[in-house]
Amino acid sequence: MIREIVKHPAKILTQVCEEVTEINEEIITLLDDMYETMVEYDGMGIAAPQVNVPLRIALVELGEERTLIEMINPTVIETSGSSVDIEGCLSFPGLYGEVERPSYVKIEAHDRYGQVYQLEAMDYDARCILHEIDHLDGILFDSKITRIYTEEELEEMFEEEEE
């Protein structure tokens, strides 16, 4: 089921989310709904508070293959490096800006079956993971933007890249 995306300045977006204590049918349905919602709105990732659920759950599609990872109760184990790139957010339609983030991340999380896993990611994938984990801590990307881009500027940049 496609859920409504919560938009800034909704209070839930700035709250620290609660740990998931049991992975049950309700959580599995939420994961499935979050995925359908992310695809519908053309997102690269989505966090539970963005669909009005204050739980530590997030999804991200990684790599060119767009492999889905489901993160339940994710924790950041390690980060390193630094890079600046343009980000957007489903909860901030039309807002795009440069954000500095670590270029490497190692996380630990649970999957939908309750299994603990670790994952390492670099560059854009690391950026996506950290953006979504920030959501779970009530941290929004607009607080990290160093330069805002208009949609027109982005379109021009993409056109230049294609040439």
Side-chain angles (χ1 to χ4, degrees):
M1 177 179 82
I2 295 168
R3 299 191 184 203
E4 185 177 338
I5 298 285
V6 175
K7 306 288 190 301
H8 179 267
K11 186 170 175 51
I12 193 170
L13 295 174
T14 56
Q15 296 174 341
V16 175
C17 294
E18 299 168 23
E19 294 274 325
V20 174
T21 56
E22 178 188 1
I23 300 173
N24 52 29
E25 259 329 290
E26 193 175 310
I27 297 299
I28 301 301
T29 299
L30 175 61
L31 287 165
D32 293 341
D33 289 356
M34 286 173 62
Y35 179 71
E36 287 181 40
T37 303
M38 180 182 77
V39 170
E40 174 69 19
Y41 291 99
D42 200 28
M44 297 296 292
I46 192 168
Q50 292 181 281
V51 293
N52 208 30
V53 178
L55 292 175
R56 296 189 71 78
I57 299 174
L59 310 178
V60 177
E61 288 186 326
L62 300 180
E64 288 184 26
E65 331 59 66
R66 294 185 69 151
T67 303
L68 179 68
I69 63 160
E70 297 174 332
M71 301 180 287
I72 300 172
N73 298 332
T75 55
V76 175
I77 297 171
E78 182 183 346
T79 62
S80 65
S82 177
S83 71
V84 176
D85 206 345
I86 298 170
E87 293 185 19
C89 181
L90 295 174
S91 293
F92 289 83
L95 179 62
Y96 304 93
E98 284 185 353
V99 175
E100 183 175 357
R101 291 197 187 270
S103 53
Y104 165 83
V105 66
K106 181 177 184 179
I107 65 156
E108 183 171 279
H110 292 83
D111 65 17
R112 66 171 51 216
Y113 307 105
Q115 299 299 310
V116 176
Y117 69 91
Q118 289 188 353
L119 176 76
E120 294 178 280
M122 297 286 298
D123 304 321
Y124 193 75
D125 290 342
R127 172 174 302 281
C128 292
I129 289 168
L130 291 166
H131 177 112
E132 298 310 328
I133 291 175
D134 272 358
H135 271 297
L136 306 181
D137 294 323
I139 300 167
L140 302 176
F141 95 117
D142 69 323
S143 68
K144 297 183 174 199
I145 291 176
T146 56
R147 177 175 183 237
I148 292 175
Y149 286 86
T150 65
E151 289 188 40
E152 293 77 25
E153 287 175 306
L154 288 178
E155 286 172 16
E156 285 176 21
M157 287 169 55
F158 289 131
E159 286 173 10
E160 287 173 12
E161 285 179 9
E162 290 175 3
E163 291 176 2

